[in-house]
Amino acid sequence: MAQLQQPPPYSPTSPSLATSSIFTAARSDAGTLPVVDVPLAVINRPLPSELDEEKVERFMGDIKAGDTFTPIEVLKCETGDGNKYYFAFGGCHRFEAHKRLGSKTLPGTIINVPPSTIRGYLGGSCPF
């Protein structure tokens, strides 16, 4: 069984939270999740992105050329009142490239997490 480690402190310049130990340890099905087309409109990106403009433009060109990328990890959280929230903490350049191209969806894997996981990262900024 994977050991949980202390999550990294919040910082807008921290590396992707989606790759941090708490998400990896919570995923016994890592690597086996299906890739689905996730609507951009449902994805919440609560942390500010620091974008490399050249990288976004390069990704846009690659997407137009039909290249595929690693799917982004989208954390799905269902609250007690039945509301569903979708969060992406990583994949900012891929997300932005699809957004600028006007894509309705992007490839992603849906990872179900409890509300406490999202609250742990967003604290008072959590929408539930």
Side-chain angles (χ1 to χ4, degrees), residues 73-85:
E73 293 180 333
V74 178
L75 306 179
K76 177 184 175 186
C77 174
E78 189 166 346
T79 58
D81 59 4
N83 287 320
K84 295 176 187 168
Y85 296 85

Side-chain angles (χ1 to χ4, degrees), residues 29 41-42 55 58 60 65 67 70-71 73 79-80 89 92 94 98 100-101 121-122:
D29 56 358
V42 303
K55 188 173 184 179
R58 185 173 68 246
M60 289 172 65
D67 289 351
T70 303
E73 293 180 333
T79 58
F89 293 97
C92 59
R94 289 170 281 168
H98 277 281
R100 291 184 191 180
L101 288 170
Y121 280 101
L122 299 182

Side-chain angles (χ1 to χ4, degrees), residues 23-33 111:
F23 291 113
T24 304
R27 292 177 38 210
S28 60
D29 56 358
T32 62
L33 296 171
I111 302 166

